Every structure is written in C-alpha cells, then in structure tokens.
C-alpha cells in the first residue's frame, strides 16, 4: 500500500528552469508581503523574512501572537547559533524564545551572500568558508542542509556529492517514484540509491516521499532497504520526519489488507461454481499471484498440483521473463566517497548534539503514547514481512527444549529471517525417526522454559538475574534473540517482564527508577525495609553499621546525618542491585532483542509492546474460541451445536478441562499469539470416537456423536489424557 502512495507526480520544491515562472510569482508575492506594513509583516519568518507557507520547502510555519513571532521550522532548525535547550512544549519546538531573539539579533549583523540582505542565520560548515545565507536562498542556490547530527549546512561549492565509478547508463532511466525519464547522472536534482544501482530519483520526489512515509516507512523503492538508504539520503539533504506515514494515520487505512483476494482470473475457469468459489485444501482453492497478489487462479484451472507451487499472473510473468533488466535486487555497500568532510558527519557526535530535531521530539511523544499509537498485531505483522520463503528446519527434542533450541539457533546456517520448520526428535529413539512439529507449539514451550530459567529472577514480574556461567556462555544474548524470533515468527509473547526491565529497554537504565518489588533477594529486601522503617537516627545508624560491609562492597556507603537521607540511600541500593549489578547481562540481552529489528520497534511503540511483554494475555472465553475457530469442511450441524455447547460448559466450570486446555490440544499454545495464528485455527466434524488435534495445521477434528453427553465425555477424556501424557514426558526428563 505504501508503494502505491508513493507513485506521485513530481512537485516543484527546488528552483529549476521549468518552474521559474512559478518561483518568480512566489518571490513577487513574498516581496509584496514584506513591503506591507502592520500585522501582515508579523506573519513573515523572523529569519528569512518571507511570508511563504510551504511546509515541503521551509517546514511548518508557526506564528505565536503572544511573542509576536513567526518562524519557518527549517529556518529555525538550521540556524547556526541556536540549539534546543527547552522541553518540547516550551518556546517553539523546544527552542526558547530568548534564544530565538538572540539568534535573530546575531543574524541581523550578517549579510546573505545570495540576496545581499541581512539576517543570514545559516553558515557553511566547511573549514574557512565564510558564506552565510537565508534558508530559502540556500535552496535557490542548491545548498544542502543535513537534518541529522549537528544539522550542518553546505554551500554550493562544498556540498556533498554522490560519486559513481563509471556511468554505464547511456540512455535515460525513469525516476522510480514519478516514472518520468531522467538522465542517470548524479546532480543536486538527481539522486541515486546507494543500495540499488538502477534506482534513480528526482530530489523533489524523494522529499515528498520522505514526508509522506516518515522514518518508519521511508526506504528504497526497489529493494526496500531502509538503513543504508536513509543514511545516504540524510547525507544528501533529504528531510525524514520521525513520524508514522501519512496513510498510517488514516482511519481504517489497512482494512483492505485484511481481505484476501479470492477470484479466479484465468481466461478459462473450469469451476462450475463460478470464479469466486474457493474451497481450501482442494483443487478449487484459489492461489494468488506470488508477485502482485492482485490476481488469482483455482489450482485446477492452472494445473497446479499443490498450493505450494509458484504461480504468477500474465502481467507479472511478462515483466519477469521479458525484461532483460529485471533482476532480483542485491544489497550493495555504499560506494567509496572522496568527500572528506561529509563522510564523518553522520558518524561522529557533535558539540551541538543536545540540539534536537522534531523527529527526536516525535519519538518522545511516541514513547509517551501519542497519536502514533499502533496495534501490536499490525506492528508484528509488519516485522513478519522480513521472513523469507527459504526454510530452515530445526530438530527439537521436546524433553530438552532449551538445549535443542540453542543448537538450532546457534547453527551457522540458521538465519532469523528464514521461515522456521520444526521436526520433533527423541534421543531415546534408536531408529532416529522424526515427526512434523508445530512451530507455534515449539515457541510456546521455549517461552515457558525461558520464563522459569535461571536467567530471570522474581515471582510474577521478572528482572534479569546475575548468572556468571550464563553470561560466559552468552545465554542472555540467546534469550533476547529467542524472544525476538518468537514475536516475529508468530509465537507467544513473554508476558513476564517487570516494568523496570521494560523501562530500561525503552528509556535506558539511567532513566529508570527500580522499586522494592524488583528485589528478589530476601536479605537485600530486608535491609531496604529496615532502612525505610527506621524512625530515628539511632535505628538508622544501627542498620548501616550491621550492613557496613555490604554497603561498602556495593559502593553505597554515604554520610547520613538526618532521616531525610534514607530515600537516597535506599535508591542507591535499589539501583545497584536491580540495574548496575546486572549491567553486563542487560547489554547482552538487549543485543539479542535487536534481532529482526524488534528492540527498535519496542522503543518506538512502548505502549503497544508493554501490553504483551509485561502482562499475560487475558482469559479465554467461549466466544473468543468460537470466533477463533472457523469451519474448515462441510459442517455437521448437530456436531457444531455440541461444540458451542461444550465451550459454554467449559466456561461455566461444568467440565474438568479449561479453555487453555482446548487451545493447547488444537494448536500447542495456551494463548493467542499477538500476531495471530497461522494458519487460522479450524474445526472439522468427523465420524470418530474422540477428538484429534493437529497442531501443525491448528486443526481440531471433533467427533460426530448422537448425544451431547457422549460428545462432552469424549472431548474431556481425550484432552485431559493428552495433556497428562505430555506432562509425564516433561517430568520424566526433569527427574532423569
């Protein structure tokens, strides 16, 4: 959907021969507005003195009547002598009013080298270059402004350039956004993708795309790379706002994505029931085009033997096989650049680093739960787009889930972005047989083991523990990696993080205050309680003297002269025990969570992830399970009625089984994964005595019986015995 939103016509953001008339009209209007006396003059930007309100060119124009002040955001941001010292709600975008006035006063003494008027607040950062200019004048002369790091500006002589080894493109190529043909030569107005050699863009098209897409969706239109692509575009002066894409903020923007295309488009459809007829797991199941997804065919109509076979529609097939230039995009490193000063601007910190862009402020808003709040399932489904079709098989021993998972994830051929296929094996099986396993069941068992492992401490809400052997074996990293893989590959969420651990991941340990509940060590908790409950100095000093060696060891000895010193002493102990003591495990765990970009999403959408990392899923109900399971084959009306009655009986406590037992029996999971089940759980009604759960396909076959009593007894018996056998196998491994 985002690609469609980017197919836009080129807009005139920079000045060129083709839009000279329009620019002249704009300048004439600005001049007229500048010459008007009275209130209209107050609407001109105090830096560039233009009345223009062009957000794509100059940023948002903001007028504050209280301070008699109007600014363009870019003019304010790029001014050389000012930085953000206030909070986001203070002044203008966090820039204090007194600082803005000082900068205006400083700029009033500088003459623009382009228009020759005073007020040139922006200077070229190249050594020994003394050119100063207004922001609009700089755009006119094709200066480059970098909206990152130190917000550097470069004049037309010192601006960064894109260097290519040789120009192998003799003919014009289309801009990959507006599709208008351009000469493939890197200039100010023409930019080349750093990750795809055949991707070229108009600067204007890229800027509009960046503003529409935001930092979370701005990426190469050919290979979807975001990191290398964004870094290069920032270097070349493209402003990328840290916000959700414009289409993300539309109500029901993704509604159509929830609907699968189900229509047979081949020339001769053989299905007698019509082109819209779709029966899963049969020759009349509709297969969508693997390239565009907007065309379909019945398996039988295209002579496909199974759903796994590839199929492309005629339009996509002609592109793939008739275009000699079409190749699978490969990742390329950034070309070596000889532009000395620009190479380090995005890498090194700057003395003006405290100055923040609106993107930084937007990220703070995101963390506080703003209008950019998003549904967790949508976020995880997005992350799931990274998963490739290539499959990696993991051989898992259910009786030794941890070690077999470690072996699989540490295998040199394992790639987190490969689709996971599970095969269950048994060490005691002399024949070495393997059985198909459920990926979601495996991830569910792995999360249960992780929650109860020695890597975490606490009862319900857990923090990281200090386990030197686990640290030596890099197990904290593996734990973070496992959690990330589980979330992206459709497994369950942990649900056992303490708020303190979560806040450390999102806001950093230095901005997190632990509480007494985070302390699982009884002796340490008693020390803190005794300090807190001391009612006089004698009691307080008595506690300190008793714990002198411990306090000295952890570096928390401090001079205490009054009872008001207690809170600081308690805080020091908490910070040491909960945060500083486990600093090495935390850093290792955090690195593991970076797998597949999960940590970045956690930090961007903390409110969404808090609901699944710090809280267990809600209780299942009869309605939830009834809605979750869909009828997979032609239904037996009576059996389906028995099924719904059985769910209600379980919810009312009239059965020995629970809702979680039913879900485990059918899918291997005790709760619904945040990203949902894949495939969707289904119900079959078969002539059999007892129900059968197929965890690989999330399919539950329920028996067709003559009475409800028989139905309930058979369901209870099969589900209870299945769970009992699995528990016995697990306990047998623990005992031995």
């Amino acid at each position: 959907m985002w690609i469609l939103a980017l197919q836009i016509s080129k807009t005139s953001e920079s000045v060129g021969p083709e839009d000279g008339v329009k620019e002249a009209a704009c300048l004439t209007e600005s001049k007229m507005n500048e010459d008007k006396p009275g209130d209209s003059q107050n609407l001109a930007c105090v830096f560039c003195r233009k009345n223009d309100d062009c957000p794509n060119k100059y940023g948002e124009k903001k007028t504050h009547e209280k301070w008699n002040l109007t600014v363009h955001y870019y003019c304010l941001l790029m001014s050389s002598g000012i930085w953000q010292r206030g909070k986001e709600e203070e002044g203008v975008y966090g820039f204090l009013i007194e600082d803005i006035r000082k900068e205006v006063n400083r700029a009033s003494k500088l003459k623009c080298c382009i228009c020759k008027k005073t007020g040139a607040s922006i200077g070229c950062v190249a050594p020994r270059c003394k050119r100063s200019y207004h922001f609009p004048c700089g755009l006119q002369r094709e200066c480059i402004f970098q909206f990152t790091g130190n917000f550097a500006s470069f004049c037309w002589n010192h601006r960064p350039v894109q260097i290519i080894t040789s120009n192998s493109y003799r003919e014009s190529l289309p801009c990959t956004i507006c599709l208008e043909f351009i000469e493939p030569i890197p200039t100010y107005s023409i930019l080349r993708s750093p990750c795809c050699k055949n991707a070229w863009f108009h600067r204007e098209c890229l800027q509009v795309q960046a503003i529409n897409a935001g930092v979370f969706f701005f990426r190469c239109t050919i290979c979807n790379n975001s990191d290398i692509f964004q870094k290069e575009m920032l270097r070349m002066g493209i402003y990328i706002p840290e916000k959700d894409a414009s289409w993300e903020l539309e109500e029901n923007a993704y509604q159509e994505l929830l609907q699968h295309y189900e229509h047979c488009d081949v020339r001769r459809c053989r299905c007698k029931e019509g082109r819209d007829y779709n029966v899963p797991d049969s020759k009349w199941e509709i297969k969508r085009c693997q390239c565009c997804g907007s065309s379909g065919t019945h398996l039988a109509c295209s002579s496909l033997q199974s759903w796994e076979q590839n199929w492309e529609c005629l339009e996509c097939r002609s592109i793939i096989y008739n275009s000699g230039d079409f190749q699978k995009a490969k990742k390329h490193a950034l070309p070596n650049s000889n532009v000395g000063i620009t190479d380090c601007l995005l890498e090194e910190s700057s003395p003006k680093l405290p100055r923040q862009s609106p993107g930084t402020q937007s990220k703070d808003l995101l963390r506080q739960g703003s209008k950019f709040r998003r549904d967790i399932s949508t976020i995880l489904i997005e992350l799931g787009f990274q998963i490739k079709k290539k499959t990696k098989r993991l051989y898992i021993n259910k009786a030794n889930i941890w070690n077999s998972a470690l072996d699989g994830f540490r295998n040199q051929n394992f790639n987190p972005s490969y689709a996971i296929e599970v095969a269950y094996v048994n060490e005691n099986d002399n024949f070495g047989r393997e059985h198909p396993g459920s990926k979601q069941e495996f991830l569910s068992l792995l999360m249960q083991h992780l929650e109860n492992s020695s890597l975490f401490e606490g009862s319900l809400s857990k923090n990281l523990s200090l386990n030197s052997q686990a640290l030596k074996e890099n197990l904290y990293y593996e734990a973070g990696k496992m959690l990330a893989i589980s979330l992206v590959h459709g497994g369950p969420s942990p649900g056992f993080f303490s708020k303190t651990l979560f806040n450390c991941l999102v806001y950093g340990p230095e901005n997190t205050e632990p509480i007494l509940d985070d302390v699982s060590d009884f002796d340490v908790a008693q020390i803190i309680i005794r300090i807190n409950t001391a009612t006089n100095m004698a009691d307080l000093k008595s506690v300190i003297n008793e714990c002198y060696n411990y306090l000295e060891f952890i570096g928390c000895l401090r001079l205490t002269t009054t009872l008001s010193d207690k809170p600081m002493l308690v805080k020091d102990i908490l910070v040491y025990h909960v945060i500083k003591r486990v600093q090495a495990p935390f850093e290792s765990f955090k690195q593991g969570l970076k797998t597949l970009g999960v940590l970045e999403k956690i930090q961007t959408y903390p409110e969404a992830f808090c609901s699944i990392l710090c809280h267990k899923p809600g209780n299942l109900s009869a309605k939830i399970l009834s809605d979750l399971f869909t009828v997979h084959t032609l239904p037996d009306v009576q059996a389906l009625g028995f099924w719904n009655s059985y769910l209600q009986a379980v919810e009312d406590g009239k059965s020995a089984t629970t809702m979680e037992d039913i879900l485990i029996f059918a899918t291997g999971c005790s709760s619904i994964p945040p990203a949902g089940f894949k495939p969707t759980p289904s119900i079959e009604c078969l002539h059999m005595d007892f129900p059968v759960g197929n965890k690989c396909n999330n399919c539950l076959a329920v028996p067709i019986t003559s009475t409800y009593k028989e139905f309930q007894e058979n369901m209870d018996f099969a589900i209870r015995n299945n769970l009992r056998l699995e528990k016995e196998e697990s306990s047998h491994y623990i005992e031995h």
Side-chain angles (χ1 to χ4, degrees):
M1 178 177 177
W2 71 276
I3 295 178
L4 295 177
L6 299 180
Q7 302 303 318
I8 52 177
S9 61
K10 186 173 64 172
T11 60
S12 55
E13 291 185 25
S14 66
V15 179
E18 69 277 9
D19 57 352
V21 176
K22 184 175 181 181
E23 181 66 20
C26 188
L27 291 173
T28 303
E29 182 182 355
S30 298
K31 178 66 179 174
M32 293 173 60
N33 288 334
E34 286 180 23
D35 294 338
K36 287 182 181 180
D39 293 339
S40 62
Q41 183 64 26
N42 295 334
L43 297 179
C45 173
V46 294
F47 289 104
C48 69
R49 301 174 186 174
K50 286 183 175 289
N51 291 52
D52 303 48
D53 190 2
C54 305
N56 284 354
K57 294 179 73 172
Y58 310 134
E60 182 184 2
K61 182 180 178 183
K62 206 161 191 177
T63 300
H64 294 275
E65 297 181 1
K66 178 180 178 181
W67 302 304
N68 193 26
L69 189 71
T70 298
V71 293
H72 289 125
Y73 178 65
Y74 295 170
C75 294
L76 174 62
L77 187 63
M78 300 309 303
S79 293
S80 302
I82 188 173
W83 58 89
Q84 185 190 53
R85 294 195 303 125
K87 297 180 180 179
E88 189 272 336
E89 65 274 6
E90 294 183 273
V92 183
Y93 303 109
F95 293 84
L96 303 181
I97 299 301
E98 57 266 30
D99 291 344
I100 296 176
R101 287 173 176 165
K102 287 179 183 178
E103 178 65 1
V104 171
N105 183 56
R106 183 190 71 84
S108 66
K109 303 170 186 177
L110 300 174
K111 183 177 292 187
C112 176
C113 64
I114 300 171
C115 70
K116 309 304 179 184
K117 295 181 181 180
T118 58
S121 62
I122 305 172
C124 177
V125 300
R128 300 182 182 178
C129 181
K130 297 183 179 180
R131 289 190 178 97
S132 295
Y133 33 84
H134 303 102
F135 185 85
C137 295
L139 286 183
Q140 185 179 354
R141 280 301 301 269
E142 300 184 345
C143 297
I144 278 186
F145 305 93
Q146 293 181 336
F147 296 92
T148 184
N150 197 33
F151 299 90
S153 167
F154 299 86
C155 70
W156 53 94
N157 280 345
H158 300 109
R159 71 189 182 205
V161 296
Q162 290 187 306
I163 296 178
I164 58 175
T165 53
S166 63
N167 185 10
S168 58
Y169 305 98
R170 299 179 180 178
E171 299 180 356
S172 298
L173 292 176
C175 166
T176 61
I177 298 177
C178 72
L179 303 182
E180 179 180 320
F181 279 86
I182 55 179
E183 292 300 320
I185 301 174
T187 63
Y188 175 82
S189 302
I190 305 299
L191 298 177
R192 181 195 186 198
S193 171
C195 41
C196 292
K197 63 181 181 181
N198 58 341
W200 295 80
F201 313 90
H202 290 106
R203 173 180 288 272
E204 302 96 314
C205 295
L206 269 178
Q207 185 57 80
V208 174
Q209 175 189 337
I211 290 175
N212 284 333
V215 70
F216 308 116
F217 291 92
F218 183 52
R219 59 195 68 182
C220 176
T221 55
I222 300 297
C223 69
N224 272 351
N225 179 281
S226 60
D227 294 336
I228 296 176
F229 186 76
Q230 287 189 18
K231 184 176 180 179
E232 175 67 358
M233 294 306 117
L234 285 169
R235 186 178 78 88
M236 296 306 298
I238 299 298
Y239 172 61
I240 311 173
E242 286 201 37
K243 63 165 192 173
D244 261 342
S246 56
W247 59 87
E248 286 281 332
L249 305 179
E250 298 175 13
E251 188 175 359
N252 297 324
Y254 289 95
Q255 191 63 34
E256 66 273 18
L257 297 182
L258 302 178
Q259 302 174 3
H260 289 171
Y261 187 85
E262 295 183 351
H263 185 79
C264 181
D265 296 295
V266 298
R267 183 173 298 178
R268 292 185 178 181
C269 178
R270 304 177 186 175
C271 182
K272 296 181 180 179
E273 302 294 332
R275 292 182 177 270
D276 294 327
Y277 187 67
N278 181 31
V279 179
D281 294 337
S282 73
K283 65 180 181 179
W284 301 121
E285 181 174 6
I286 291 180
K287 168 82 175 178
R288 292 178 293 279
C289 172
Q290 66 174 356
C291 296
C292 67
S294 58
S295 295
T297 177
H298 290 115
L299 298 183
C301 296
S302 293
S303 301
L304 299 177
Q305 299 300 316
S306 70
W307 195 87
E308 283 73 20
Q309 284 185 257
N310 293 333
W311 180 80
E312 305 94 12
C313 63
L314 288 176
E315 290 80 2
C316 293
R317 195 175 305 158
S318 63
I319 294 174
I320 294 173
Y321 298 108
N322 295 334
S323 175
D325 295 332
F326 185 90
Q327 292 182 352
K328 185 176 181 181
K330 297 180 180 179
K331 292 186 178 179
H332 297 276
L334 275 170
N336 293 329
S337 176
N338 298 323
V339 185
I341 187 171
T342 60
D343 290 342
C344 62
L345 284 174
L346 296 179
E347 305 293 338
E348 299 178 359
S349 59
S350 166
K352 287 176 66 175
L353 198 59
R355 171 176 170 181
Q356 298 177 3
S357 70
T360 308
Q361 299 163 13
S362 296
K363 183 169 283 189
D364 290 336
L365 289 176
L366 284 169
R367 290 176 175 174
Q368 296 166 12
S370 66
K371 64 181 180 180
F372 301 122
R373 185 183 299 116
R374 304 205 25 219
D375 180 72
I376 186 63
S377 61
T378 304
I379 298 170
L380 294 179
I381 290 172
E382 263 178 27
L383 286 173
F385 292 159
Q386 303 173 77
I387 301 175
K388 301 177 175 63
K389 290 184 178 179
K390 188 171 182 179
T391 301
K392 173 62 179 176
R393 173 171 289 191
L394 298 180
Y395 295 94
I396 302 299
N397 181 1
K398 290 176 70 174
N400 192 358
I401 195 81
W402 173 254
N403 288 327
S404 53
L406 270 181
D407 291 341
F409 289 154
R410 284 177 167 175
N411 188 293
Q412 62 179 359
N413 295 323
F414 178 77
N415 187 325
S417 63
Y418 288 170
I420 293 176
E421 184 180 283
V422 174
Y424 287 138
V425 295
N426 191 330
E427 295 176 353
N428 299 324
D429 190 341
N430 297 325
F431 297 99
R433 288 170 294 194
E434 57 187 62
H435 309 281
S438 163
K439 177 186 68 175
Q440 287 173 315
E441 180 187 32
F442 155 64
L443 293 173
S444 181
L445 294 173
L446 185 59
M447 290 301 102
Q448 291 174 23
H449 179 93
L450 200 58
E451 180 177 0
N452 299 312
S453 71
S454 60
L455 302 178
F456 296 90
E457 60 184 22
S459 52
L460 297 177
S461 297
K462 296 179 179 289
N463 290 291
L464 291 171
S465 66
L466 180 59
N467 186 322
S468 57
Q469 186 61 32
L471 190 61
K472 182 179 179 180
E473 296 176 8
N474 205 25
L475 295 185
Y476 290 99
Y477 169 82
E478 297 295 342
K481 179 180 173 182
M482 290 174 182
L483 286 168
I485 289 174
S486 178
L487 291 174
V488 177
H489 283 262
S493 58
F496 59 81
F497 282 21
S498 71
K499 285 293 182 63
T500 298
L501 174 57
F502 182 79
N503 289 338
C504 284
L505 291 170
V506 176
Y507 308 111
E510 67 280 3
N511 298 318
T512 302
E513 293 188 7
I515 59 176
L516 181 60
D517 289 344
D518 293 318
V519 180
S520 59
D521 188 298
F522 178 80
D523 295 331
V524 176
Q526 286 301 306
I527 293 173
I528 295 173
I529 293 172
R530 290 180 62 191
I531 293 174
N532 267 332
T533 56
T535 56
N536 53 60
M537 283 303 300
D539 291 342
L540 181 58
K541 288 184 178 180
S542 175
V543 177
I544 294 175
N545 289 334
E546 288 181 29
C547 307
Y548 184 89
N549 291 336
Y550 171 73
L551 295 176
E552 182 181 37
F553 174 76
I554 67 175
C556 292
L557 270 180
R558 60 169 50 246
L559 181 64
T560 52
T561 56
T562 64
L563 289 177
S564 59
D565 294 327
K566 290 194 307 181
M568 189 57 67
L569 178 58
V570 168
K571 180 180 178 182
D572 288 346
I573 299 173
L574 285 171
V575 168
Y576 168 79
H577 187 81
V578 180
I579 294 178
K580 291 183 178 180
R581 183 176 64 96
V582 295
Q583 183 175 356
F586 174 77
E587 291 300 326
S588 182
F589 181 68
K590 191 169 75 168
Q591 289 300 316
L593 272 178
K594 289 183 179 179
T595 303
L596 296 172
V598 170
L599 180 62
E600 180 185 354
K601 289 293 185 182
I602 292 174
Q603 293 172 340
T604 305
Y605 302 104
E607 188 169 325
F609 277 91
C610 182
S611 64
I612 64 169
L613 296 180
C614 299
H615 303 282
K616 293 292 185 182
N619 294 329
L620 297 172
S621 65
K623 185 178 187 310
I624 290 175
L625 282 193
S626 178
D627 294 340
L628 179 65
F629 285 86
T630 58
V631 178
H632 198 58
T633 58
L634 293 177
D636 179 278
V637 177
Q638 187 180 38
L640 288 177
F642 289 168
W643 160 251
N644 290 323
S645 300
Y646 179 69
L647 290 179
Q648 192 59 53
V650 172
E651 183 177 23
D652 294 340
K654 298 177 181 178
S655 170
T657 60
T658 64
M659 294 294 178
E660 288 72 21
D661 293 340
I662 298 173
L663 193 60
I664 293 173
F665 182 77
T667 67
C669 297
S670 60
S671 62
I672 302 173
F677 283 106
K678 189 176 180 181
T680 303
S682 57
I683 289 285
E684 289 182 327
C685 303
L686 301 179
H687 290 281
M688 52 173 50
D689 293 331
F690 298 100
V692 175
N694 186 340
K695 298 176 182 177
C696 293
N697 296 324
N698 299 326
C699 181
L700 175 63
V702 297
I704 297 177
T705 60
S706 56
T707 65
Y708 171 73
K709 182 180 179 181
E710 184 183 1
F711 181 90
Q712 179 175 350
E713 289 176 349
N714 292 354
M715 291 288 290
D716 285 347
F717 177 82
I719 294 174
R720 285 203 311 269
N721 276 277
N722 177 269
L723 296 178
R724 178 180 58 80
L725 289 173
E726 290 184 351
K727 288 179 181 179
E728 287 178 356
E729 289 178 4
S730 176
S731 61
H732 177 77
Y733 167 74
I734 294 174
E735 291 173 1
H736 293 81

